[in-house]
Amino acid sequence: TSLNQEVSTLLTITNTSDHADAYELFVEDNAWSVSFAELVTPLLGPGESYSILATVTTPGSTLNLTDVAIVSARSTLDGG
């Protein structure tokens, strides 16, 4: 991966509960820029999955050559 490059991947969120729910995405502990095509999934029935594109932008300098980000999907029924 080069400096100042965007790298994208699909994240799949699956509703493992027994009721319909939507999920909000969060990212933390990251130094590099992370963005999502959508921040909230549509309402998913039990067992349904939904994929969202995540894009990471590498930094423009060599100061941070690696990064770790924690991505979480939180139920909107949990108060967001």
Side-chain angles (χ1 to χ4, degrees):
T1 303
S2 303
L3 300 178
N4 255 352
Q5 181 179 0
E6 287 188 349
V7 180
S8 297
T9 189
L10 280 177
L11 303 177
T12 301
I13 296 91
T14 301
N15 180 356
T16 60
S17 73
D18 60 357
H19 56 271
D21 203 350
Y23 297 87
E24 187 172 2
L25 296 179
F26 296 89
V27 64
E28 57 189 326
D29 292 344
N30 57 303
W32 299 0
S33 172
V34 178
S35 62
F36 303 109
E38 301 167 68
L39 291 176
V40 180
T41 69
L43 192 62
L44 302 176
E48 284 189 312
S49 296
Y50 188 76
S51 294
I52 293 178
L53 187 69
T55 302
V56 176
T57 304
T58 61
S61 72
T62 58
L63 292 177
N64 294 326
L65 294 179
T66 63
D67 190 23
V68 174
I70 298 171
V71 177
S72 303
R74 185 178 306 149
S75 165
T76 58
L77 295 178
D78 290 341

